[in-house]
């Protein structure tokens, strides 16, 4: 179930530039949001050091909209957008198809829905979206509740998440230690 919470951002040149990237994508007819660590840090009242952006625009469309881009992960739907003195990873809404190497998806399938993109991510605290034009957090996975409770939990079944990408186990320990969060029982056991 989707939850929404108003969040007034700590304004900075980084935030304003990231919001302008989202606005430009929206002006071109695409949906776009901040995703991952930026929204997590905003909820925790920590100034984000970066903003990743997820969008309905394909990498080719992103490259056509912005004049300074780097195709860092086109096969995974990721384009680096360079604006002012900042770099933003802009990724197309996607679903992971399968993982064979325990680290990277074998392929990705683009999606028309931001919810699909969130459901493929690692932890609930990293699975929230932020709409900088409406100044709201959008949460499909319980990330706000877990942040409020100081709990680290995977999105979906923990063993599956860790078998997809083994680095996620190290990220769990790092997030738990960094924020003093308890690792949820199923996540810890996995």
């Amino acid at each position: 179930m989707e939850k929404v919470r108003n969040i007034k951002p700590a304004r900075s040149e980084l935030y304003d530039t990231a919001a302008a990237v989202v606005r430009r994508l929206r002006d071109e007819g695409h949906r776009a949001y901040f995703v991952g660590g930026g929204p997590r840090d905003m909820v925790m009242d920590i100034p984000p050091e970066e903003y990743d952006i997820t969008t309905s625009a394909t990498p080719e469309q992103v490259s056509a909209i912005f004049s300074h881009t780097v195709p860092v992960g086109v096969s995974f739907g990721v384009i680096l957008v360079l604006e002012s003195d900042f770099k933003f990873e802009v990724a197309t809404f996607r679903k992971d198809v399968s993982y064979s190497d325990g680290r990277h998806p074998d392929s990705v399938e683009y999606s028309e829905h931001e919810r699909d993109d969130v459901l493929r991510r690692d932890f609930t605290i990293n699975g929230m979206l932020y709409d900088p034009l409406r100044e709201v957090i959008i949460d499909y996975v319980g990330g706000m509740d877990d942040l409020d409770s100081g709990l680290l939990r995977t999105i979906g079944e923990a063993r599956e998440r860790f078998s997809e990408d083994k680095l996620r186990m190290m990220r769990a320990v790092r997030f738990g230690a960094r924020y003093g969060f308890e690792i949820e029982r199923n996540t810890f056991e996995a």
Side-chain angles (χ1 to χ4, degrees):
M1 182 166 96
E2 175 185 340
K3 288 187 176 183
V4 176
R5 181 187 293 177
N6 290 341
I7 298 280
K8 279 291 188 189
R11 301 302 291 259
S12 67
E13 186 179 358
L14 173 63
Y15 173 88
D16 290 341
T17 306
V21 170
V22 168
R23 185 174 297 106
R24 182 108 177 261
L25 288 162
R26 297 250 184 105
D27 288 348
E28 294 292 329
H30 305 287
R31 291 188 316 287
Y33 305 90
F34 297 168
V35 69
R40 175 198 65 227
D41 290 350
M42 293 171 77
V43 171
M44 295 177 67
D45 204 26
I46 298 170
E49 295 178 6
E50 65 182 12
Y51 293 99
D52 292 335
I53 297 167
T54 187
T55 181
S56 59
T58 64
E60 296 77 18
Q61 291 168 323
V62 173
S63 293
I65 293 168
F66 297 96
S67 56
H68 302 299
T69 62
V70 179
V72 294
V74 173
S75 63
F76 298 110
V78 181
I79 294 287
L80 198 63
V81 172
L82 310 172
E83 286 290 310
S84 300
D85 292 327
F86 304 110
K87 300 174 186 173
F88 303 99
E89 279 193 13
V90 179
T92 303
F93 300 155
R94 59 197 194 261
K95 300 179 197 180
D96 294 336
V97 177
S98 62
Y99 290 75
S100 297
D101 67 359
R103 179 67 185 104
H104 303 97
D106 297 325
S107 63
V108 295
E109 179 182 317
Y110 295 148
S111 174
E112 289 296 315
H113 305 284
E114 57 273 12
R115 187 174 189 276
D116 291 334
D117 190 73
V118 166
L119 292 175
R120 57 167 278 286
R121 294 179 178 273
D122 56 4
F123 302 104
T124 61
I125 66 170
N126 295 332
M128 297 173 290
L129 302 166
Y130 182 73
D131 182 340
L133 306 185
R134 293 177 33 221
E135 296 183 342
V136 296
I137 291 283
I138 303 163
D139 182 7
Y140 295 105
V141 295
M144 286 187 289
D145 291 340
D146 286 346
L147 282 175
D148 292 343
S149 299
L151 194 64
L152 185 69
R153 169 193 329 262
T154 58
I155 296 172
E157 205 280 309
R159 288 189 192 284
E160 183 178 328
R161 282 291 170 253
F162 292 145
S163 70
E164 291 169 348
D165 183 348
K166 293 175 180 18
L167 183 62
R168 290 174 174 164
M169 289 183 272
M170 296 299 295
R171 289 171 53 90
V173 172
R174 181 173 58 115
F175 288 132
R178 178 178 181 191
Y179 299 119
F181 284 4
E182 176 185 348
I183 299 176
E184 180 264 338
R185 184 178 53 82
N186 292 329
T187 301
F188 185 80
E189 288 177 1

